[in-house]
């Protein structure tokens, strides 16, 4: 006899079956899918300072402006992580056999944020304006572009011509193009004003702006593809301490922390839960310039001793709080031009003492070495920045162990430049040098730059170095330049015209929920946004590995 099953048992059975099927389906779903980046979300960053002008043509003197315009605008070219040039608004380019002209084929799918196409007319306007003496920007930029003739071949073809070949030229074409249809007819002096129409061609466009906050939104028609993030929200603070406090208090997701932030604040931020800190080297470097007009430094043995007698790692630890990377070479280690086989300077006080002995500087009755009745003593100048002064004092302490007396003197930056650096009236000077986007050392180490309007502040001259740097400026390929710079670095290690000390490290602190970040060295602070297109906050499940 069949017994009728109670309805409640049937329902329970069905529910259990459905639940089991659901669990099984969920397991299968998890097995055949993976987390993948999804569009959306807002990343908030703190910046010390404030924006002055959201125009790439006048952004040279203000880092917040350069940060923002790098996101709003794009140039014909951009930098790879190793500093090599790659296409951006230009699809490709050709260089004439004599190296005097560059012909760029521009993308036809690039648009300004107002929907107008980006064209060669915009490039011509940009470069002509950069050559104007009325433009409130770096005079070196004006001097460069005043030697360039821009010509529109057609809407997508541009030719840039110069009287002489200049191999580092492509790095200057990374500057963001400005829209001709917006700015044409405006006096270059007035370009610092932020009008109602900030129209760029970058992957982000302006949503709102004030002195305290600038918000950028993803450009849905970006020619390189829409960024993952919906919004970048930049908050501006008075100084490094205020930026650090904003991070600690959780008011922002991230910030680029300068070495001047201080070790205590850096350590506290690094200890925060879910905080990721990336240490990024700057291309600029601190260097102890030795004035070749001083007889003490005319002896190569002395220069080599001063290099061997400085503990760069100790200097970085004591002064920079570890936020530096020891260096002995004007070419950054991350650059395509760096020669890893060039001799490196080792801290070797025994060798340093031996070299000074060979040079005739002997220890005597006093702690200071002497030669022909003269003490081995020189003054060391620097600007009155507290980090620089501390660095100079540490250098003096280290050299004292070798029997070298160093008298540290500090001056305001203007006085230092006008009274000592430009006229070359100093023994030694601690200063920083920034090679910019291209590693070309010509401005700092070629003999033609020893005059008061040049940057060879050590007044160093060497015929072979001149030949290498001159040829590198007219070389027809990056491979040829690399070979010439390789020999330059070997020669620099042999001759030690001055003592390169370290590159500063910047700490890019960011909430760990921000993914996809792949930062490299900082050729400028804006370099941290090199792959911002791939940053993401949200994920979604997709089929596949």
């Amino acid at each position: 006899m069949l017994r009728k099953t109670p309805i409640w048992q049937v329902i329970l059975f069905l529910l259990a079956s459905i639940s089991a099927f659901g669990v099984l389906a969920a397991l299968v779903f998890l097995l055949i899918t993976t987390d993948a980046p999804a569009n959306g979300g807002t990343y908030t960053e703190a910046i010390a300072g404030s924006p002055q002008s959201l125009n790439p043509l006048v952004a040279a003197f203000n880092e917040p402006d350069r940060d923002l315009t790098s996101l709003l605008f794009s140039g014909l070219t951009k930098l790879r992580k190793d500093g090599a040039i790659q296409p951006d608004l230009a699809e490709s380019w050709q260089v004439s056999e004599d190296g005097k002209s560059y012909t760029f084929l521009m993308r036809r799918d690039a648009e300004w944020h107002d929907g107008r196409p980006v064209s060669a007319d915009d490039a011509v306007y940009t470069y002509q304006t950069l050559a104007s003496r009325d433009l409130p920007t770096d005079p070196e930029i004006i001097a460069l572009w005043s030697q360039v003739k821009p010509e529109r071949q057609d809407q997508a073809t541009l030719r840039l011509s110069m009287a002489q070949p200049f191999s580092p030229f492509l790095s200057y074409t990374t500057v963001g193009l400005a829209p001709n249809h917006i700015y044409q007819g405006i006096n270059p002096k007035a370009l610092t004003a932020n009008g109602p129409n900030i129209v760029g061609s970058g992957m982000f466009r302006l949503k709102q702006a004030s002195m305290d906050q600038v918000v950028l939104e993803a450009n849905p028609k970006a020619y390189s593809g829409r960024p993952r993030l919906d919004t970048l929200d930049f908050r501006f603070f008075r100084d490094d301490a205020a930026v650090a406090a904003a991070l600690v208090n959780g008011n922002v997701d991230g910030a680029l922390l300068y070495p001047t932030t201080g070790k205590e604040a850096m350590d506290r931020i690094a200890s925060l839960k879910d905080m990721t800190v990336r240490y990024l080297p700057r291309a600029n470097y601190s260097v102890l310039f030795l004035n070749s007009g001083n007889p003490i430094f005319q002896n190569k043995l002395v220069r080599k001793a001063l290099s061997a007698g400085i503990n760069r790692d100790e200097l970085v630890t004591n002064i920079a709080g570890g936020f530096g990377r020891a260096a002995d070479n004007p070419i950054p280690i991350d650059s395509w031009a760096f020669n890893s086989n060039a001799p490196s300077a080792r801290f070797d006080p025994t060798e340093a003492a031996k070299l000074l002995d060979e040079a005739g500087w002997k220890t005597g009755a006093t702690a200071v070495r002497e030669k022909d009745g003269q003490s081995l003593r020189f003054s060391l100048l620097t600007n009155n920045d507290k980090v620089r002064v501390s660095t100079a004092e540490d250098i003096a302490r280290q050299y004292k162990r070798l029997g070298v007396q160093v008298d540290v003197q500090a001056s305001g930056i203007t006085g230092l430049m006008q009274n000592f650096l430009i006229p070359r009236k100093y023994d030694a000077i601690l200063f920083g040098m920034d090679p910019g986007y291209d590693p070309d050392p010509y401005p700092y180490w070629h003999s033609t730059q020893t005059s008061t309007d040049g940057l060879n502040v050590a007044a160093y001259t060497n015929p072979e170095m001149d030949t290498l740097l001159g040829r590198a400026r007219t070389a027809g390929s990056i491979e040829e330049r690399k070979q010439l710079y390789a020999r330059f670095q070997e020669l620099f290690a042999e001759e030690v015209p001055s003592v390169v000390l370290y590159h500063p490290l910047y700490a890019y602190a960011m909430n760990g929920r921000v993914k996809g970040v792949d930062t490299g060295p900082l050729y400028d602070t804006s370099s941290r946004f090199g792959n911002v297109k791939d940053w993401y906050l949200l994920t979604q499940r997709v089929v596949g590995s």
Side-chain angles (χ1 to χ4, degrees):
M1 179 177 175
L2 294 176
R3 296 175 58 190
K4 185 176 180 180
T5 304
I7 189 65
W8 62 270
Q9 291 183 355
V10 174
I11 293 173
L12 283 178
F13 175 78
L14 290 174
L15 288 174
S17 299
I18 292 171
S19 177
F21 179 79
V23 171
L24 180 61
L27 289 173
V28 171
F29 178 76
L30 289 174
L31 288 172
I32 67 172
T33 62
T34 58
D35 277 331
N39 293 348
T42 296
Y43 167 71
T44 304
E45 181 165 305
I47 295 179
S50 61
Q52 303 298 319
S53 177
L54 300 182
N55 186 320
L57 307 188
V58 291
F61 294 128
N62 190 36
E63 285 187 347
D65 289 348
R66 298 201 302 274
D67 289 343
L68 295 170
T69 56
S70 73
L71 297 162
L72 289 166
F73 296 84
S74 42
L76 289 181
T77 63
K78 59 184 179 181
L79 296 184
R80 286 191 333 212
K81 287 171 68 172
D82 65 352
I85 300 296
Q86 61 182 334
D88 196 357
L89 282 172
E91 284 187 340
S92 62
W93 57 85
Q94 292 184 337
V95 185
S96 61
E97 289 188 10
D98 61 7
K100 297 179 182 179
S101 67
Y102 294 73
T103 302
F104 295 86
L105 179 63
M106 297 178 63
R107 303 179 64 119
R108 296 181 181 272
D109 58 348
E111 294 182 354
W112 295 106
H113 296 157
D114 61 5
R116 297 278 291 270
V118 179
S119 74
D121 294 318
D122 302 304
V124 170
Y125 164 78
T126 295
Y127 303 137
Q128 286 179 341
T129 304
L130 287 170
S132 172
R133 295 185 182 276
D134 291 331
L135 190 70
T137 191
D138 187 340
E140 291 186 14
I141 293 176
I142 296 173
L144 183 280
W145 286 105
S146 64
Q147 301 176 55
V148 179
K149 179 182 179 182
E151 298 175 278
R152 177 192 191 275
Q153 305 289 296
D154 58 43
Q155 184 171 338
T157 309
L158 172 76
R159 184 180 181 184
L160 300 176
S161 304
M162 297 170 286
Q164 299 295 331
F166 181 52
S167 298
F169 175 68
L170 281 173
S171 67
Y172 290 86
T173 62
T174 58
V175 65
L177 297 190
N180 177 56
H181 68 282
I182 297 291
Y183 295 115
Q184 187 180 33
I186 297 178
N187 190 310
K189 293 180 180 179
L191 291 178
T192 54
N194 287 323
N197 294 325
I198 304 298
V199 177
S201 58
M203 63 183 70
F204 287 90
R205 60 191 184 188
L206 185 65
K207 184 176 182 180
Q208 66 181 72
S210 68
M211 294 298 291
D212 300 321
Q213 181 182 23
V214 170
V215 180
L216 310 182
E217 62 183 0
N219 176 10
K221 294 184 178 180
Y223 55 86
S224 58
R226 182 199 188 279
R228 292 290 186 188
L229 295 172
D230 278 345
T231 312
L232 298 177
D233 184 353
F234 294 98
R235 312 285 178 85
F236 299 94
F237 297 85
R238 65 183 180 276
D239 54 26
D240 295 335
V243 166
L247 267 175
V248 170
N249 295 331
N251 297 329
V252 294
D253 295 315
L256 182 67
L257 302 172
Y258 290 47
T260 49
T261 301
K263 187 176 188 304
E264 184 178 345
M266 294 272 205
D267 289 345
R268 184 179 181 189
I269 290 167
S271 68
L272 294 174
K273 184 180 179 181
D274 297 328
M275 186 65 67
T276 299
V277 180
R278 298 171 177 86
Y279 297 98
L280 312 178
R282 280 296 302 262
N284 59 320
Y285 54 92
S286 290
V287 56
L288 176 63
F289 285 107
L290 307 175
N291 192 336
S292 64
N294 186 319
I296 292 175
F297 304 133
Q298 290 171 359
N299 189 325
K300 181 169 70 174
L301 294 176
V302 173
R303 300 196 303 270
K304 291 176 76 72
L306 292 177
S307 180
I310 194 77
N311 188 332
R312 293 165 173 83
D313 291 328
E314 179 183 307
L315 202 64
V316 167
T317 300
N318 290 349
I319 307 305
F323 295 97
R325 184 166 67 181
D328 54 19
N329 186 333
I331 305 291
I333 191 172
D334 301 292
S335 170
W336 58 265
F338 181 74
N339 178 11
S340 59
N341 295 318
S344 59
R346 290 187 305 110
F347 173 54
D348 190 340
T350 302
E351 176 66 14
K354 179 182 176 183
L355 289 167
L356 290 175
D357 286 340
E358 289 181 27
W361 293 100
K362 306 288 187 179
T363 54
T366 67
V368 181
R369 290 174 178 268
E370 295 182 350
K371 177 181 179 181
D372 300 330
Q374 178 188 358
S375 296
L376 183 50
R377 180 175 188 168
F378 61 87
S379 63
L380 172 54
L381 285 168
T382 192
N383 64 305
N384 52 16
D385 172 83
K386 63 179 182 179
V387 174
R388 283 255 169 81
V389 172
S390 296
T391 303
E393 291 172 343
D394 200 31
I395 289 171
R397 283 192 293 271
Q398 293 197 39
Y399 282 159
K400 187 176 181 179
R401 303 170 194 160
L402 287 175
V404 181
Q405 178 66 42
V406 178
D407 303 313
V408 175
Q409 301 173 20
S411 170
I413 187 66
T414 301
L416 184 75
M417 296 286 291
Q418 294 180 350
N419 300 327
F420 303 103
L421 195 64
I422 292 175
R424 313 299 196 255
K425 292 182 178 179
Y426 68 89
D427 295 334
I429 195 164
L430 177 65
F431 211 62
M433 285 296 174
D434 187 352
Y437 285 178
D438 190 274
D440 176 25
Y442 184 103
Y444 310 113
W445 305 108
H446 196 278
S447 65
T448 59
Q449 306 302 301
T450 58
S451 60
T452 55
D453 59 349
L455 293 175
N456 184 345
V457 296
Y460 177 77
T461 61
N462 181 291
E464 184 184 358
M465 193 170 288
D466 282 353
T467 299
L468 292 168
L469 297 180
R471 286 179 57 196
R473 277 205 153 187
T474 59
S477 68
I478 196 169
E479 290 78 15
E480 184 181 356
R481 291 184 71 196
K482 190 171 184 177
Q483 291 177 2
L484 292 164
Y485 288 149
R487 173 55 191 153
F488 160 76
Q489 291 164 83
E490 293 170 354
L491 186 60
F492 194 95
E494 294 167 11
E495 295 294 321
V496 193
S498 288
V499 182
V500 176
L501 299 171
Y502 66 88
H503 297 283
L505 283 178
Y506 287 40
Y508 201 10
M510 190 177 289
N511 191 296
R513 69 192 185 94
V514 186
K515 305 295 185 182
V517 181
D518 184 19
T519 50
L522 298 175
Y523 301 97
D524 184 67
T525 55
S526 62
S527 299
R528 68 189 187 274
F529 301 123
N531 84 315
V532 69
K533 174 178 175 288
D534 300 322
W535 297 5
Y536 64 95
L537 290 164
L538 308 179
T539 60
Q540 58 187 345
R541 301 295 297 186
V542 296
V543 177
S545 58

